Amino acid sequence: INAEYMGKIAAALVDVALVQRWNLRLGIRDEVFYLLGSAIVARAVSMLDYMPAVVLTSKLCPKGVEATVYAILAGFGNFGQSVSRSIGVGLIAALGVRTEEPCDFRRLPLLVGLAHMVLPLLTIPLVWLLIPDAQLTDDLRVPTCDDETDALLAKTGDSE
C-alpha cells in the first residue's frame, strides 16, 4: 500500500470520527476536524501522488502527440471521477442514507468507511496489471519503425 492510500485511509478515519462525533468528545470543533478529513488532506495527498504519474506518462508518450495523449488521459480521469460519483450515489441509495426529510444518517459511518477506505483499496491489484515494472529514469517507449529507420540512417551516415 503506497503513501496515497495510507493518507486517504487516515483522512477517511477522521471522516468516520467526525460522523460519529468523536471529535466533540476530544474537544475539537467540527470545522477544524473537517479540515483534517477527506475534503482537504485526501485531495492534497492525491495531488502529490499524481506527480509521478505525470512523469511516467511523459516518458511513455510518443514525440509530437504529447497534447493529444494528455487530453486523452485527462478525459480518462474525468470519466473515472464520474464513475466513482455514480458508485457513490448507488451506495447512498443501497445503504438507505437520506439527506431529505425524513433524514436517516444511521448508516453514514458505514457509507464513509466503504466509499473512502474499502473501495479505493480494491484498485490496488490493478497496479500490477497497468503499471510497468521499471524505474522512472528508464526509456519506456516501444520502438517503432521510425525509430529503427532513424537508427539505421544514423549508423550508415545517411540523412534525409
Side-chain angles (χ1 to χ4, degrees), residues 128-145:
W128 287 276
L129 295 171
L130 301 175
I131 305 294
D133 186 20
Q135 299 292 321
L136 285 178
T137 55
D138 294 346
D139 184 14
L140 302 174
R141 292 181 304 122
V142 176
T144 64
C145 292

Side-chain angles (χ1 to χ4, degrees), residues 47-58:
M47 282 294 124
L48 291 173
D49 192 57
Y50 183 66
M51 287 184 227
V54 170
V55 172
L56 179 64
T57 302
S58 70

Side-chain angles (χ1 to χ4, degrees), residues 5-42:
Y5 285 110
M6 296 305 291
K8 284 184 174 182
I9 288 171
L13 288 172
V14 170
D15 288 345
V16 170
L18 180 65
V19 169
Q20 295 286 17
R21 311 299 293 191
W22 296 338
N23 60 309
L24 297 179
R25 292 182 194 157
L26 298 172
I28 303 172
R29 294 186 347 219
D30 288 342
E31 296 85 0
V32 174
F33 221 61
Y34 175 79
L35 295 175
L36 300 174
S38 293
I40 304 296
V41 172

Side-chain angles (χ1 to χ4, degrees), residues 71-85:
I72 290 170
L73 290 174
F76 280 133
N78 291 335
F79 176 72
Q81 288 178 349
S82 295
V83 169
S84 96
R85 285 188 181 102

